């Protein structure tokens, strides 16, 4: 990253998730639903200078990453069924129709 840090320095530690926002994804509802369910979630929006190179790597405007750095979801917008996404990434459901 331009500031000398690693992207991994910005990912949640412990058992939480980090939503990487590379531009224009509204994470308000995801953050609200995760908090209601007790799921630790941080949102990280890299500086504009870093977004282009990170977007090239992830190929989507957002990525949801576990604390072990595994990408569990990525897309250009969050799915309409936020609860189902949270069920999937916490191991309570399968991908099915998402």
């Amino acid at each position: 990253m331009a500031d000398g840090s690693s992207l991994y320095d910005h990912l949640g530690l412990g058992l939480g998730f980090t939503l990487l926002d590379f531009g224009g994804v509204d994470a308000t509802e995801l953050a609200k639903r995760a908090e209601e369910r007790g799921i630790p979630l941080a949102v990280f929006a890299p500086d504009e200078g870093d977004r282009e190179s990170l977007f090239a790597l992830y190929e989507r405007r957002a990525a949801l990453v576990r604390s072990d750095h595994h990408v569990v979801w990525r897309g250009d917008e969050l799915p309409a069924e936020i609860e189902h996404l949270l069920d999937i990434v916490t191991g309570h459901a399968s991908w099915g129709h998402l």
Side-chain angles (χ1 to χ4, degrees), residues 3-68:
D3 67 2
S5 67
S6 167
L7 175 62
Y8 299 120
D9 294 337
H10 301 277
L11 300 179
L13 302 175
L15 301 175
F17 294 86
T18 301
L19 180 73
L20 300 174
D21 178 1
F22 305 125
V25 173
D26 183 1
T28 306
E29 192 65 23
L30 177 64
K32 176 184 165 194
R33 299 282 180 92
E35 182 178 6
E36 290 172 354
R37 293 174 63 164
I39 301 168
L41 173 73
V43 177
F44 176 65
D47 291 335
E48 196 167 324
D50 293 318
R51 288 182 187 169
E52 186 176 326
S53 61
L54 291 171
F55 179 81
L57 289 173
Y58 286 89
E59 301 176 339
R60 298 291 182 270
R61 290 177 30 198
L64 187 59
V65 184
R66 289 190 320 216
S67 60
D68 65 355

